[in-house]
Amino acid sequence: MAAVQDGQMELDAEKETKPEILSDGTSNLSGNTASGTLSSSPLTAAPAGGAPKMEDQQTLIAVLQFLKRNKLTDSVEILRREAGLGEDQEDSQATDGSGGGKGDVDGGDANSLLSRVSITSAAAPQSVIIFHSIIFFYSYRFGKVGGADDQPDVSVVLSAYSQQGDPSLYQVYYSGLKNFIESVLDCHRAELSQLFYPLFVHMYLELVYNNHENEAKAFFEKFSGDQECYYQDDLRVLCGLTKKEHLKGNEVLLDFRTSRFVLRISRDSYQLLKRHLQERHNNQIWNIIQEHLYIDIFDGMPRSKSQIDSMSGSLAGEGKREVNKAKVFHGLLKEPEIEVPLDDEDDEAENEEGKPKKKKTKKDSLGSKSKKQDPNAPQQNRIPLPELKDSDKLDKIMYMKESTKRIRLGPENLPSICFYTFLNAYQGLTAVDFTDDSSLLAGGFADSTVRVWSVTPKKLRKVKSAADLNMIDKESDDVLERIMDEKTASESKILYGHSGPVYGVSFSPDRNYLLSSSEDGTVRLWSLLTFTCLVGYKGHNYPVWDTQFSPFGYYFVSGGHDRVARLWATDHYQPLRIFAGHLADVTCTRFHPNSNYVATGSTDRTIRLWDVLNGNCVRIFTGHKGPIHSLAFSPNGKFLASGSTDGRVLLWDIGHGLMIGELKGHTDTIYSLKFSRDGEILASGSMDNTVRLWNSMKAFDEVETDDFTATTGHIHLPDNSQELLLGTYHSKSTPVTHLHFTRRNLLLAAGAYNSQ
Amino acid sequence: MAEERRQKLCSVILPTESMKAMAESVGVGSLQEDSCLALSEEVSYRIKEIAQDALKFMHHGKRRKLTTGDIDHALKLKNVEPLYGFQSQEFIPFRFASGGGRELHFYEEKEVDLSDIINTPLPRVPLDVSLKAHWLSIDGVQPAIPENPPPVPKEQQKTDSTEPLKAVKPGQEEEGSIQTKGQGASSAEVKGKEKMRMKPRSTHELSVEQQLYYKEITEACVGSCEAKRAVCVCNKCYLFLFQVRVNVVQNNLALLIYLMRMVKALMDNPTLYLEKYLHELIPAVVTCIVSKQLCLRPDVDNHWALRDFAARLMAQSCKTFSTTTNNIQSRITKTFTKALLDDKTQWTTRYGCIAGLAELGHDVIKTLIIPRLSVEGARIKAVMDGPVVSNIDKIGADHVQSLLLKHCASVVAKTRPLPDMVDQYKVDYGYLGTMLCSHVVKARAQAAFQAQTVNRTTLTITQPRPTLSVSQSGLSTSSGSRAPSIIKVPSSLTLMSTRPGTPTQPSPPATKYIVMATSAGAASTQQVITLSSSQSGSPVTSTVPSTPTSLQPLVKLESGNTGAVSGSRPLQKYIVVSLPSSSSSLENKSSSVLPSSTSPISMESAVKLERSESPAANTQSH
């Protein structure tokens, strides 16, 4: 612990060189950071409506009361501090707010609380769910402090199941509906078949909740085989649940319950269903549909089976149509203009070579590129970004020089792949990252260590000790060179500090820092100058599966088992934003190239895109049939690729919020995805020991994003994986953990040799 | 598939006995049945929950195997103290025990003596993690370097070699056109290289690169590094002949033995498609069998072992690779026979020829070697008894003699009817007759002993394979041309007598053949099948007595259906099976089996044709 504290101070000391970042964030950041953890939810960042303030406050107070009653004092403290509420204020509000609720015992009291919140927020139905998630989050975070069995929120959630029906009739109801759906016209059948799974789960849970164990088992055995194969994982969880007590504390099912399963059904099909259920007076099913499902009705042709299949598979159904309607500024930020040093460098280089002509063309191309303003780009200062340091500028120059030497890739011109194999890793390699300039390589290991290698001849050196630093001449030109201690030069360094397997590593763009996230619930920031830990960011409390630096540094995002992703700034020990909404672990997190958005993939088989500015979820992509383990943004920021355990890569158009491609070929989990520097080629690396190259340009070009598709969200995916596959490269026995394109478009792959 | 899934999903819970056992282990003596049930349900659920969480850790650990560490982490998620003392990289060897109708899985914990641990030297420190870079692909083409897997899978190698035109044609591989192009290019490259290297081989000149390359690969193969050896071996078969020549010239026995072992390793490697390289391998092996001189001091060094080994290797490759198109076996047989028939052949070569032929199986011995026994005997006698020509010759003759005795004895024991008269042997086999006779007697005794043991443990194997018998019966009529697929039938079966006790029938050769008669009625006779055979000998081998044992019908006889015709006779079923014989004979016999039961049993005889041009090849009669 002491080490961490020291680290903190060191960090602060270093940060003094750029205090402008802190003050820079005044307009947006500081306001939000004041509200800390909560700022992610629309409670504070809600769009300015009529009187959202008042409602928000009431909701907040309700939450506070709720927490208080359950003796979650820590949470109350933190929430109050974060929200900036005085105690008296809350009390006064509470007394005139909920009279009857106070007298009740635990369960009822929570109910009344709920109803009160729903009254206040009737105008904005979303906030109920938000409220849920907040309660969840807090109880989740501190639930164990307050006592594990004291989980009234669970009973609130589950009490909805308490309605009684004749348990023996459940099978009759379900098979009745099944018969009906199987007898309707083909065009409706596919759509209505979507009902099977959520109905099945809810009916089963109702049976279990009402202690009809045998009926539940019989029900499960009879109908579980009918469900789509991609729900098998959930069914496996479900079949273990046979008792009411089991329902408590099973997060998956709580999620299922709290979030309504979203179905998209055409109006015709819906009418058909409604008529059928009303004719049969099949109230049981109708109630479930009313209470637990969200049916998103659209006008027009019913969708085909393949259309539905391509979008379904997630834990909570498809995303609603309107969630993907928000505007996303997916364009790139304007490149900062770095003229003078560029010229200098170029002059030198060209004078040596004696080709002065080349200089002009080069300059023009670079200049025109950076000046072009993308209409989809966010404002330059939409989120405050750190100012460029001199060293950053130098790096930019290097980058530009390198990029002129970049190989133009294409189907006729495939990249070379250099494979870095970790030997003797004993199955312990869990995460890998390369620096952008491909000079350093970091590996996270199951034995809690992080190791950094230099893959160039330049060795890794530490900074001299403080005493030695005093000796050197600070005015000399090569002071940066002088501070390094030659005696410590080595090809690799080991960073000790975590107390659990390291699941994510990420270099800062300036190569001075390294982030690592671990099973121990922390994210650690390491200095690559001293090779020591600077900060341990605590908050997740549960394993942190992934972390990544923003492309501009300073910010980073992390996601973990607690089902939230968090946005941090390196100089804040608490997160700036919490992105809550996923129904299961957040498995991977990626920054958009313009740093304004964060994409997260999750075990609930959805991908969400979050706005860093206000913490809103702006896109929900469904379609994967397994947990998502890799994400990659295209370099132009327009597209997103995602890979999952089902071995498929899906391509998404961020602007339209649509799935635009499916790349089939891998036979195992895809752990790594990367676009080439100019976006021509997508490389995917998988557990099946292969690297595959895909023609991403062709995949994107072939997409017809007409208005109809864009508005309805009905997509027709061409099955052209084989045409898009450019190459498959087998390694001997090395699963591919990470892929990286160098600035010249050489593909680097990394993985640990698996001797079995 | 769906059903499997459903089965898997059915909730499985721990047996209540486990609960009881666990309760007892912590000192709770009597546990109510109800409590056991409740406990087991709860425990099962929790275990499943933990297992599901542990899976998450496995996925994030980027592993395919769940470890005990994953379970620990999953427990930690639930705020449960992890299990201590179960740190294991590998699987935990659960032992299984059953008794009294109860089954038990347990983890064997041995009591460890601390002093043992203290006294044992420390294990080697595991190697540290290190990083190694290699090219997985260069401009889209995967280079053929040891770090990369063999460029193409065996199936494709096969198509490549059998259909070379097709392989280069782009656009037909499922990998996509580019991939094909790349592979086409690489295989073309490889072919080009082959050619380059084959050229100097014929001129016996080595470029510097080749010398280096040769040195490198030999080092790798002869050296201690197993992995490296495997790697080199898979890519560079075609260098063998070349190496063998070099070494034969240098008379380096040790290296030759290594090389032969490499060939053996190559053949044992199931992932290689060696057919492509047979033309390189076989001459090398043959050289090692029949070469006049394999070592610097032929009188001292044991080059005989090398010849034996190479001969076995040869037989193995004949067995594996011989097809109608390449005719390996017949060609090899021809080569050996030719050398054997030549009077001027050296003893060393003669030894190799005999060894090579003998390894090819009993039938080859019978048709090719036994007829020559008297000739060879005379030759040996000349060396042994005559004036001392040279020590080397004497040693050679000695070796040839023992070799002949070794191989012929077992064959003669099988083929020659009793009794073993020394005089008769002398007449038949000349000089070697006496010794042969004693060997045969020995062999017979051994065989009888083994037969006894076999009879004790009767195996019941029923393999009704109607399609096979049909195809076989079809074969018996077509004598000349046959479908190549049939030849692949690994070994023909030998039908043995159903009356093992009958003295006129020799006992079955050790453990290879078993005849079973299963009958519904106990009174059914055992004499349902009698065998009558045609003369199976060739003109050359006319001295060989034809006995039923030489028959090799690949049959399944079922008298059941026809038994019904005869009315009262109970159902009988005769099935002849063969256990895979280690030395399958490729010498082919015609046979016919005629049952003498009341029901006329249709029978099929397997006919295998000797396709070699050896003198004994033309056997076919009914």
Side-chain angles (χ1 to χ4, degrees), chain A residues 672-732:
Chain A
S672 179
L673 283 168
K674 201 79 172 192
F675 282 95
S676 67
R677 291 280 174 162
D678 36 21
E680 300 269 356
I681 279 182
L682 173 67
S684 61
S686 154
M687 194 72 183
D688 63 9
N689 302 347
T690 58
V691 176
R692 284 173 200 258
L693 302 177
W694 310 87
N695 192 343
S696 54
M697 231 41 217
K698 193 175 168 203
F700 296 145
D701 287 345
E702 280 175 3
V703 174
E704 359 92 54
T705 42
D706 49 71
D707 289 342
F708 175 75
T709 342
T711 47
T712 59
H714 301 173
I715 37 134
H716 298 270
L717 281 185
D719 187 17
N720 54 354
S721 301
Q722 291 313 320
E723 295 161 37
L724 296 176
L725 180 64
L726 298 178
T728 306
Y729 304 98
H730 291 264
S731 68
K732 250 183 174 168

Side-chain angles (χ1 to χ4, degrees), chain B residues 262-273:
Chain B
M262 271 159 65
V263 177
K264 171 106 173 92
L266 280 175
M267 287 212 237
D268 291 343
N269 188 339
T271 56
L272 283 179
Y273 185 76

Side-chain angles (χ1 to χ4, degrees), chain A residues 115 151 260 268 271 298 366 442 498 505 576 673 733:
Chain A
S115 62
Q151 289 185 316
R260 290 173 145 211
D268 293 351
Q271 295 295 352
F298 62 86
L366 285 172
H498 280 296
V505 285
L576 306 181
L673 283 168
S733 181

Side-chain angles (χ1 to χ4, degrees), chain A residues 133-174:
Chain A
S133 58
I134 294 165
I135 292 183
F136 259 173
F137 164 62
Y138 273 94
S139 59
Y140 201 79
R141 215 171 127 186
F142 302 106
K144 281 173 180 149
V145 184
D149 23 8
D150 185 29
Q151 289 185 316
D153 52 325
V154 176
S155 59
V156 174
V157 164
L158 293 176
S159 60
Y161 279 131
S162 62
Q163 64 192 29
Q164 287 286 344
D166 188 353
S168 57
L169 284 179
Y170 273 58
Q171 290 200 19
V172 180
Y173 290 146
Y174 188 85

Side-chain angles (χ1 to χ4, degrees), chain A residues 58 102 306 374 396 539 622 679 732:
Chain A
Q58 277 191 338
K102 272 205 155 175
S306 64
D374 190 334
K396 276 268 186 295
T622 62
K732 250 183 174 168

Side-chain angles (χ1 to χ4, degrees), chain A residues 209-266:
Chain A
Y209 185 79
N210 293 318
N211 287 326
H212 304 302
E213 194 182 327
N214 293 329
E215 283 87 352
K217 272 184 185 163
F219 183 79
F220 186 90
E221 250 164 60
K222 187 159 181 195
F223 298 113
S224 66
D226 300 342
Q227 310 304 329
E228 298 281 357
C229 54
Y230 38 80
Y231 292 122
Q232 291 296 329
D233 285 347
D234 294 343
L235 290 180
R236 205 164 293 138
V237 176
L238 212 55
C239 79
L241 278 171
T242 48
K243 294 218 180 304
K244 190 177 175 181
E245 298 80 59
H246 296 163
L247 290 178
K248 293 179 182 172
N250 191 315
E251 296 117 37
V252 176
L253 295 163
L254 288 178
D255 290 333
F256 201 85
R257 181 55 201 83
T258 47
S259 61
R260 290 173 145 211
F261 197 93
V262 182
L263 301 165
R264 278 191 216 172
I265 289 183
S266 71

Side-chain angles (χ1 to χ4, degrees), chain B residues 289-544:
Chain B
I289 301 175
V290 299
S291 174
K292 270 185 279 190
Q293 198 178 354
L294 287 170
C295 49
L296 289 172
R297 297 165 300 164
D299 47 339
V300 187
D301 289 338
N302 188 6
H303 57 97
W304 313 104
L306 172 64
R307 289 176 203 274
D308 283 338
F309 184 78
R312 265 199 297 283
L313 212 54
M314 195 66 242
Q316 189 195 345
S317 58
C318 280
K319 228 175 355 189
T320 349
F321 300 117
S322 188
T323 63
T324 39
T325 42
N326 61 19
N327 260 343
I328 293 176
Q329 170 140 19
S330 60
R331 281 154 69 182
I332 295 294
T333 323
K334 203 168 143 191
T335 317
F336 286 148
T337 320
K338 217 160 112 192
L340 194 60
L341 292 177
D342 190 350
D343 275 345
K344 293 187 195 95
T345 315
Q346 298 253 344
W347 281 110
T348 46
T349 310
R350 194 171 292 280
Y351 179 91
C353 289
I354 294 169
L357 283 172
E359 291 293 344
L360 288 176
H362 288 172
D363 300 303
V364 180
I365 298 177
K366 200 176 68 194
T367 46
L368 294 177
I369 300 179
I370 292 180
R372 283 196 61 81
L373 271 181
S374 47
V375 185
E376 296 297 329
R379 207 192 297 273
I380 292 166
K381 191 170 180 231
V383 176
M384 291 296 197
D385 302 346
V388 179
V389 188
S390 82
N391 197 24
I392 293 175
D393 274 354
K394 197 163 179 189
I395 292 170
D398 197 35
H399 271 99
V400 169
Q401 180 185 323
S402 54
L403 180 77
L404 279 173
L405 288 175
K406 189 175 88 187
H407 285 295
C408 293
S410 60
V411 178
V412 171
K414 259 181 260 167
T415 53
R416 205 179 157 92
L418 288 168
D420 297 319
M421 306 294 287
V422 177
D423 295 342
Q424 190 60 39
Y425 269 84
K426 253 191 171 161
V427 172
D428 285 346
Y429 306 118
Y431 171 72
L432 290 173
T434 332
M435 279 173 279
L436 190 61
C437 182
S438 61
H439 274 86
V440 167
V441 171
K442 250 187 258 168
R444 275 194 212 280
Q446 204 175 0
F449 173 72
Q450 278 174 0
Q452 265 180 359
T453 45
V454 169
N455 283 344
R456 271 210 301 274
T457 57
T458 312
L459 291 174
T460 326
I461 304 165
T462 49
Q463 287 179 294
R465 296 199 316 196
T467 48
L468 183 64
S469 29
V470 166
S471 73
Q472 291 297 321
S473 64
L475 267 176
S476 60
T477 55
S478 73
S479 51
S481 67
R482 53 168 63 215
S485 63
I486 304 303
I487 297 174
K488 295 240 172 179
V489 172
S491 65
S492 49
L493 312 187
T494 306
L495 183 63
M496 301 314 297
S497 161
T498 52
R499 294 168 295 172
T502 324
T504 51
Q505 308 256 350
S507 52
T511 68
K512 279 181 193 141
Y513 308 104
I514 290 170
V515 177
M516 292 165 311
T518 51
S519 67
S524 68
T525 74
Q526 292 274 302
Q527 302 174 346
V528 192
I529 301 176
T530 56
L531 311 172
S532 81
S533 74
S534 61
Q535 173 69 285
S536 64
S538 65
V540 185
T541 61
S542 56
T543 51
V544 179

Side-chain angles (χ1 to χ4, degrees), chain A residues 484-505:
Chain A
M484 307 310 288
D485 189 355
E486 275 307 323
K487 275 177 286 186
T488 60
S490 65
E491 271 180 21
S492 77
K493 296 255 186 258
I494 306 178
L495 306 173
Y496 297 102
H498 280 296
S499 60
V502 179
Y503 290 117
V505 285

